[in-house]
Amino acid sequence: MNRILFFVMFSFCLCPIYAQEIDLRGHWQFRLDPEDEGEKNNWQMSDFKESLTLPGSLASNNQGYLIGAHTKWTGAIVDSTWFKSERYAKFRTADNYKTIFWLQPNRSFVGSAWYSRKFTITQSMSTEQMLLTLERPHWETTVWIDGKKIGMRNSLATAHDYAIGQLKSGTHRITIRVDNRIKDIDVGANAHSVSDHTQTNWNGIIGQMALSAVPVVSIEHIAVYPDVDNKQIRVVLETNNRTETQKNINFTLNASSKLAPKVHQVKPIHKKYPVPIGKGRLELIYPMGETFYKWDEFTPFLYNLTISTGDGKDKKSYATTFGMRKLSIKGTQFEINDRLTFLRGTLDCAVFPKTGYPPTAIGEWKRIFQIVKDHGLNHVRFHSWCPPKVAFEAADELGIYLQVEGGGWTVVGEGNGFDKWIYQESEQILDTYGNHPSFILYTYGNEPDGDRQGEFLGRLTDYLKKYDNRHLYTAGAGWPDIKANEFYDAMYPRLYVWGDGLESQNNANPPSTDFDWAKIIGKYKMPYISHEVGQWCAYPNFKEIRKYDGVLKARNFEVFQETLQDNKLGDLADDFLMASGRHQALTYKADIEAALRTPGFAGFQLLGLSDFPGQGTALVGVLDAFWEEKGYISPDEFKSFSGGTVPLVRLPKMVYENIEVLNATVEIAHFGREEIKDIIPVWEITKDDGSLIGRGVLERRTIPLGNGTMLGNIQYDLADISEPEALLLTVKVGQYSNQWKIWVYPHIAEVDPGEVYVTDTLDAKAYLALEKGGKVLFSPRKGTIKPEKGGEIVMGYSPIFWNTSWTKKLPPHVMGIMVDPKHPAFSLFPTDSHLDFQWWGLVSHANVMLLDELEENVQPIVRIIDDWFSNRSLGLIVEGKVGAGKLIISTADLLHESANRLEIKQMKKSLLKYMNSDSFDPKNMFDQTKVAAMFY
């Protein structure tokens, strides 16, 4: 049933107030057109037999084709293992089809789908010009009214608006063809605007769907350009006069506050202007008064601007929202309203597990952005896509800075359809969302390709800078580095750059907090944002599977869970999650703090705070795909090292002997609302049990905005530490605090092996000792395990980067370790259940053992967590009986290059103490032949 009502319509940053509308949401007929025969056969005049509900997608209506080998996916598949490996054979059958590349929709359809329904024009509407608005179709739409073709639109980011003209009173048919194929406009199969890796390549229409009556003389676009320095706004109006004469129109501008802190009513202005026939443009200056409020992350103060035209019964009103926000560059950093600003960001990769398409109601976006803020961040980059208008509205209200992208991850500059389209799409994005103060950065999209990319994107960037100067522009996220850029968004200032492997900062260098990226960014004279920081994985949370009760199902998780169970490790899934998750969180802390220590840095963009379930499954978030906690780090803990104010220390190393003095410098990154006045920083050192063993007070001072502000030095003599200790160093600056673990071991001259034979080779002496019931500590050199026994598995300190499937086995191949801290083997080696800095010297000089090659169901002292594609039982340190003897195998090398690795000497001492005690009673039983067969 058609409804006619008064409404507020958003279109191109304006909303005409009091217009008649026919709401087109509800019941529609539809028909799939896989062979593209609909237009040739005049389907625009037909009734269709099947029906569904719009707004929605085919998949949300459970329409389309069932998933199977025939499915036309949109998204590159890098690793073909799933198609070939016997391991996945049972998941390739028609009745058990489960993909591992991305979340799996209930149905899929790529092609043309036709949607049709009838509507009624009343007598009062028959004299009006009608406008059709489809807020968020996916993707290309073609519209017919009563069989007459109106036109085609292909924006991915903005509403598809169609000027229908006048319609006679009575019943009419509207037919819409939606085509979600990539055709001549190739945004890239992996672009998050279209890909199955992310929101899915859905077919349908979401958001507002309406036919609206438009005045014959109307405002079609309002652009507001805040001028904070001059306390005014410049208002640009685009008009459309559909009469045959010029009209003199009275304009009234009225701005008033939308939200707290307190009401501000700006004095209205009244102007009379001639409106020419057809399209026209007017510019007005509107003073904001002396006491207006500014918009930023701390006070997201918004104004409503209402523009009224005409008088009496001919009066029409239009409205938009804006904020008084000044965006500028100071040296190599950003300023918002002349306040130094550091962008602490994450990516939104268009992942919507419930629906497979983005929400067009503001509540969900406010939930997501509040979670972002709760974790200390102030910035979101929309990776190769542009969100709906409600995302901008939510960011405006909560004070989040947005980087918006034109939807591309593709080849540019080749003269194809995309090159022309991206100009049009960029203009429409800027026109539609440009008034939102949260919208500060723009680029075409992600990591462009093509020999002419620099030349083409340089022209585009220069064009957009002139088109709309309210934002800052760069050629592409990731690259290229060209003159046209106003900021640079690139990957090098981060712990691990694609391809680094074991040469990454955190794999190749002993742990410290005494480094930054100053040398990398030093050659740039513009703001530098680090691109897609982190990408550190945690193990899947299989409890998450039950959350997928909508269009998308976590079939990838189901496959990984089943293979884990097949390998008889299913009961360890939660432990794998927690141990790998804590290691992941600590690695993000190291990445973020390095950014905050870097002077002159502009910001970072994590990939990401939440998981990316595509591209082979990249579980890189401390939150899941629903932006919900996984249980191993809280928002408050994350915020302590990622927020607007973060105390920092520069520690040259994390592991000490008790003959040393701990020396560290204390600094702070402070990007708050104002300077911190008259504060006394404090540092404390505590033991694991919370007992305080050291405390110091630094000089009272005022802390300005910025980073690299030195607060003082810490000196603490470690001589009183008589037992191995894991200590916690805490720095407090008022309400802000941050913490770091350090490890202190008593000085070791030599370790007495006692009754244990220590060797790096299973030689005759070792076999003789075991035969006689002796004890052997076997610690082979790195590289001595045979490939088929685990030698081909590469271990390092860092977690897996992205995932082993999509990176083609970039090392490391494993996800850290799982330890029982109460095991007597660690009585002299304090440890948590997960990998931390004191393990660096061990795991970076380690082999990996395939435990099943020793015996079935081996329980190691230290288990290595395999990646979820393989789910093998792996070990680092394992104990067992061999005949009458007892053996510990440590594939972490304990015997060589120990001078700079205090932790290996301490681990050796701890293991030997255990082996010389009555507690050493291994339950595993090893066959000597199998042990020998593992090693060269």
Side-chain angles (χ1 to χ4, degrees):
M1 181 176 180
N2 297 330
R3 293 191 299 123
I4 301 176
L5 46 86
F6 293 105
F7 85 115
V8 177
M9 182 188 76
F10 290 82
S11 177
F12 295 96
C13 286
L14 63 86
C15 44
I17 303 172
Y18 307 126
Q20 292 186 85
E21 176 195 68
I22 299 174
D23 188 348
L24 296 175
R25 295 175 298 176
H27 181 84
W28 286 69
Q29 299 174 350
F30 84 99
R31 185 176 177 182
L32 303 183
D33 187 9
E35 304 300 327
D36 271 337
E37 60 184 5
E39 188 166 12
K40 178 179 65 177
N41 293 325
N42 293 316
W43 286 12
Q44 63 269 24
M45 297 297 295
S46 303
D47 279 319
F48 303 140
K49 295 179 181 180
E50 297 182 276
S51 63
L52 46 59
T53 300
L54 296 177
S57 67
L58 289 173
S60 68
N61 284 277
N62 202 32
Q63 301 296 334
Y65 301 137
L66 293 173
I67 304 302
H70 61 277
T71 299
K72 297 179 181 178
W73 295 115
T74 303
I77 298 174
V78 172
D79 185 356
S80 63
T81 303
W82 184 87
F83 298 100
K84 301 174 182 178
S85 174
E86 184 61 28
R87 183 195 329 161
Y88 298 125
K90 62 182 176 180
F91 305 114
R92 297 193 293 265
T93 62
D95 60 346
N96 190 41
Y97 199 88
K98 296 181 179 182
T99 58
I100 61 172
F101 321 121
W102 39 61
L103 298 175
Q104 185 168 308
N106 58 344
R107 303 259 178 156
S108 178
F109 178 78
V110 179
S112 293
W114 292 65
Y115 304 88
S116 180
R117 63 165 292 170
K118 293 180 180 179
F119 63 93
T120 300
I121 292 291
T122 64
Q123 187 65 41
S124 63
M125 297 178 72
S126 64
T127 59
E128 303 284 354
Q129 300 289 319
M130 302 302 296
L131 175 72
L132 171 65
T133 297
L134 306 173
E135 182 184 342
R136 195 78 172 191
H138 191 85
W139 173 15
E140 176 189 280
T141 61
T142 307
V143 172
W144 291 263
I145 301 291
D146 298 330
K148 179 183 177 182
K149 191 172 185 177
I150 303 301
M152 182 273 286
R153 302 286 184 271
N154 55 24
S155 175
L156 277 165
T158 62
H160 292 199
D161 286 335
Y162 291 87
I164 304 299
Q166 290 183 336
L167 295 173
K168 295 180 180 179
S169 60
T171 301
H172 300 267
R173 177 184 296 278
I174 179 172
T175 304
I176 305 172
R177 183 179 65 197
V178 180
D179 192 342
N180 61 336
R181 289 172 294 184
I182 295 177
K183 299 188 291 187
D184 58 320
I185 300 168
D186 186 358
V187 298
N190 294 329
H192 297 353
S193 53
V194 300
S195 183
D196 288 306
H197 289 293
T198 58
Q199 61 182 299
T200 75
N201 188 14
W202 54 282
N203 187 302
I205 306 167
I206 59 173
Q208 181 191 357
M209 302 176 64
L211 275 164
S212 311
V214 179
V216 291
V217 180
S218 64
I219 297 175
E220 294 196 336
H221 178 47
I222 303 171
V224 180
Y225 293 80
D227 186 346
V228 171
D229 292 338
N230 292 310
K231 303 177 182 180
Q232 64 188 22
I233 58 174
R234 180 168 64 94
V235 182
V236 179
L237 306 179
E238 294 182 5
T239 60
N240 193 353
N241 179 355
R242 299 174 184 84
T243 71
E244 296 180 356
T245 60
Q246 177 175 290
K247 301 290 184 180
N248 293 319
I249 302 292
N250 292 315
F251 291 85
T252 299
L253 277 66
N254 194 333
S256 60
S257 58
K258 181 177 181 181
L259 301 172
K262 77 176 186 181
V263 172
H264 178 212
Q265 175 63 60
V266 186
K267 183 179 180 181
I269 62 170
H270 308 275
K271 298 284 185 179
K272 190 170 187 176
Y273 287 98
V275 176
I277 300 170
K279 304 283 186 177
R281 176 185 172 94
L282 297 175
E283 291 195 20
L284 304 88
I285 300 298
Y286 186 4
M288 292 296 292
E290 295 295 320
T291 57
F292 64 87
Y293 293 96
K294 299 174 185 177
W295 182 96
D296 62 19
E297 64 186 283
F298 307 104
T299 55
F301 193 92
L302 297 169
Y303 284 91
N304 285 327
L305 174 64
T306 302
I307 301 177
S308 300
T309 62
D311 299 294
K313 67 177 183 179
D314 293 328
K315 184 176 180 179
K316 301 290 186 295
S317 293
Y318 307 82
T320 191
T321 301
F322 70 96
M324 292 298 289
R325 184 265 290 151
K326 177 185 177 183
L327 172 64
S328 55
I329 293 172
K330 182 178 182 181
T332 59
Q333 293 178 292
F334 298 112
E335 287 190 328
I336 304 287
N337 301 328
D338 298 317
R339 178 192 289 118
L340 202 62
T341 301
F342 190 92
L343 296 183
R344 306 179 308 280
T346 186
L347 270 58
D348 187 296
C349 292
V351 177
F352 307 105
K354 297 282 190 180
T355 59
Y357 55 72
T360 54
I362 196 171
E364 178 64 4
W365 287 107
K366 291 178 78 169
R367 182 187 75 89
I368 290 171
F369 290 153
Q370 187 58 58
I371 291 168
V372 170
K373 294 199 76 167
D374 290 344
H375 285 78
L377 307 181
N378 63 358
H379 170 50
V380 175
R381 173 195 163 205
F382 288 93
H383 181 308
S384 60
W385 80 293
C386 174
K389 62 182 177 64
V390 288
F392 292 89
E393 294 169 2
D396 289 347
E397 291 188 18
L398 293 177
I400 295 287
Y401 305 125
L402 304 182
Q403 176 170 317
V404 180
E405 301 187 3
W409 185 0
T410 191
V411 175
V412 301
E414 301 298 318
N416 55 28
F418 178 85
D419 287 358
K420 180 179 179 181
W421 178 86
I422 191 60
Y423 272 83
Q424 171 187 299
E425 185 78 345
S426 297
E427 288 179 2
Q428 290 180 212
I429 289 171
L430 297 173
D431 288 346
T432 304
Y433 309 118
N435 290 349
H436 293 281
S438 56
F439 181 3
I440 66 168
L441 306 178
Y442 181 79
T443 185
Y444 108 97
N446 188 61
E447 299 173 0
D449 197 1
D451 294 339
R452 300 180 180 88
Q453 60 176 273
E455 179 184 352
F456 173 80
L457 291 172
R459 290 195 303 270
L460 174 66
T461 303
D462 283 336
Y463 173 78
L464 295 176
K465 287 188 291 189
K466 295 176 183 177
Y467 188 85
D468 187 341
N469 64 8
R470 292 173 292 182
H471 323 286
L472 295 172
Y473 300 88
T474 196
W479 58 76
D481 177 11
I482 59 175
K483 183 178 179 181
N485 291 343
E486 293 183 292
F487 66 97
Y488 191 35
D489 185 354
M491 69 181 70
Y492 300 103
R494 65 190 202 198
L495 291 181
Y496 190 116
V497 177
W498 184 284
D500 275 356
L502 298 185
E503 297 304 311
S504 69
Q505 168 69 34
N506 53 348
N507 283 310
N509 300 287
S512 78
T513 64
D514 193 21
F515 63 93
D516 57 42
W517 312 125
K519 289 184 179 179
I520 294 174
I521 71 168
K523 66 179 182 178
Y524 292 91
K525 305 303 181 186
M526 66 180 70
Y528 196 133
I529 303 173
S530 50
H531 171 73
E532 299 184 359
V533 169
Q535 305 184 46
W536 307 118
C537 285
Y539 197 78
N541 178 13
F542 297 132
K543 291 189 177 76
E544 186 182 322
I545 294 172
R546 60 176 175 258
K547 294 184 181 182
Y548 292 86
D549 56 5
V551 164
L552 292 167
K553 298 294 189 292
R555 303 301 185 205
N556 47 356
F557 277 35
E558 293 174 13
V559 171
F560 307 143
Q561 183 181 42
E562 192 167 336
T563 57
L564 185 73
Q565 293 167 345
D566 289 345
N567 289 338
K568 301 179 182 179
L569 300 173
D571 60 328
L572 297 178
D574 290 344
D575 294 328
F576 285 173
L577 167 68
M578 297 307 292
S580 65
R582 282 303 297 169
H583 181 40
Q584 176 203 49
L586 290 170
T587 311
Y588 272 114
K589 174 176 164 66
D591 235 332
I592 291 170
E593 287 182 351
L596 292 174
R597 287 193 298 267
T598 303
F601 207 20
F604 61 82
Q605 295 167 340
L606 301 179
L607 183 56
L609 189 62
S610 60
D611 280 340
F612 185 92
Q615 292 187 5
T617 310
L619 305 177
V620 297
V622 299
L623 304 177
D624 63 24
F626 300 86
W627 294 83
E628 294 176 348
E629 293 177 43
K630 298 181 184 179
Y632 50 76
I633 187 170
S634 69
D636 285 343
E637 182 183 353
F638 198 93
K639 188 175 182 178
S640 70
F641 56 78
S642 68
T645 303
V646 178
L648 300 162
V649 295
R650 289 185 180 257
L651 288 158
K653 59 180 183 175
M654 311 306 286
V655 180
Y656 296 82
E657 288 186 300
N658 63 353
I659 59 174
E660 298 180 86
V661 174
L662 173 69
N663 286 289
T665 58
V666 183
E667 61 186 76
I668 194 166
H670 174 52
F671 295 94
R673 185 174 180 179
E674 56 193 6
E675 64 183 15
I676 301 175
K677 296 181 179 179
D678 195 31
I679 195 76
I680 301 175
V682 175
W683 61 267
E684 297 176 346
I685 297 178
T686 55
K687 292 186 177 182
D688 254 358
D689 61 7
S691 59
L692 181 68
I693 63 170
R695 187 176 188 274
V697 175
L698 302 178
E699 182 180 349
R700 182 189 298 270
R701 60 173 300 139
T702 292
I703 298 173
L705 297 183
N707 62 343
T709 302
M710 295 300 164
L711 301 183
N713 297 302
I714 297 172
Q715 282 195 328
Y716 183 75
D717 193 334
L718 301 171
D720 290 338
I721 308 297
S722 58
E723 298 292 332
E725 296 280 3
L727 303 178
L728 192 64
L729 171 62
T730 302
V731 174
K732 300 177 181 178
V733 181
Q735 63 179 301
Y736 307 102
S737 68
N738 198 5
Q739 299 179 324
W740 301 265
K741 264 196 172 181
I742 60 171
W743 292 264
V744 181
Y745 306 135
H747 175 65
I748 303 172
E750 290 236 2
V751 179
D752 181 5
E755 302 174 356
V756 180
Y757 176 58
V758 180
T759 180
D760 64 359
T761 306
L762 285 175
D763 53 16
K765 190 174 181 180
Y767 288 129
L768 181 61
L770 291 171
E771 183 181 329
K772 292 183 176 183
K775 303 172 184 178
V776 175
L777 173 57
F778 171 41
S779 185
R781 287 179 179 270
K782 184 177 181 179
T784 57
I785 290 184
K786 295 176 181 178
E788 68 275 15
K789 306 294 184 179
E792 65 180 4
I793 305 169
V794 181
M795 188 168 197
Y797 174 75
S798 77
I800 287 173
F801 175 84
W802 198 242
N803 63 58
T804 58
S805 173
W806 240 246
T807 63
K808 299 182 179 180
K809 294 281 186 184
L810 270 179
H813 299 155
V814 294
M815 309 185 65
I817 60 174
M818 192 177 76
V819 185
D820 177 4
K822 297 179 181 179
H823 194 290
F826 304 117
S827 64
L828 298 180
F829 191 86
T831 184
D832 288 312
S833 60
H834 54 82
L835 191 62
D836 209 333
F837 287 138
Q838 90 278 25
W839 285 90
W840 182 88
L842 293 156
V843 298
S844 61
H845 296 75
N847 300 284
V848 177
M849 286 183 281
L850 278 168
L851 295 179
D852 289 345
E853 296 294 323
L854 285 172
E855 294 292 344
E856 289 187 2
N857 301 318
V858 173
Q859 301 303 313
I861 297 175
V862 180
R863 183 179 290 280
I864 297 172
I865 305 171
D866 198 10
D867 77 286
W868 52 83
F869 298 106
S870 302
N871 281 323
R872 296 159 294 191
S873 183
L874 307 178
L876 183 73
I877 301 176
V878 63
E879 61 183 344
K881 293 178 180 175
V882 180
K886 300 175 185 178
L887 172 71
I888 281 184
I889 306 172
S890 171
T891 56
D893 183 357
L894 304 177
L895 306 180
H896 306 96
E897 302 177 21
S898 61
N900 297 317
R901 293 191 288 144
L902 299 176
E903 54 266 49
I904 73 163
K905 292 192 293 185
Q906 191 65 32
M907 176 62 80
K908 180 181 176 183
K909 182 176 182 180
S910 191
L911 288 176
L912 287 171
K913 179 187 176 185
Y914 168 58
M915 295 179 76
N916 283 297
S917 73
D918 293 338
S919 298
F920 185 40
D921 184 23
K923 300 299 185 289
N924 300 312
M925 301 295 295
F926 298 152
D927 179 89
Q928 178 177 302
T929 304
K930 286 186 177 181
V931 173
M934 293 190 68
F935 300 92
Y936 289 114

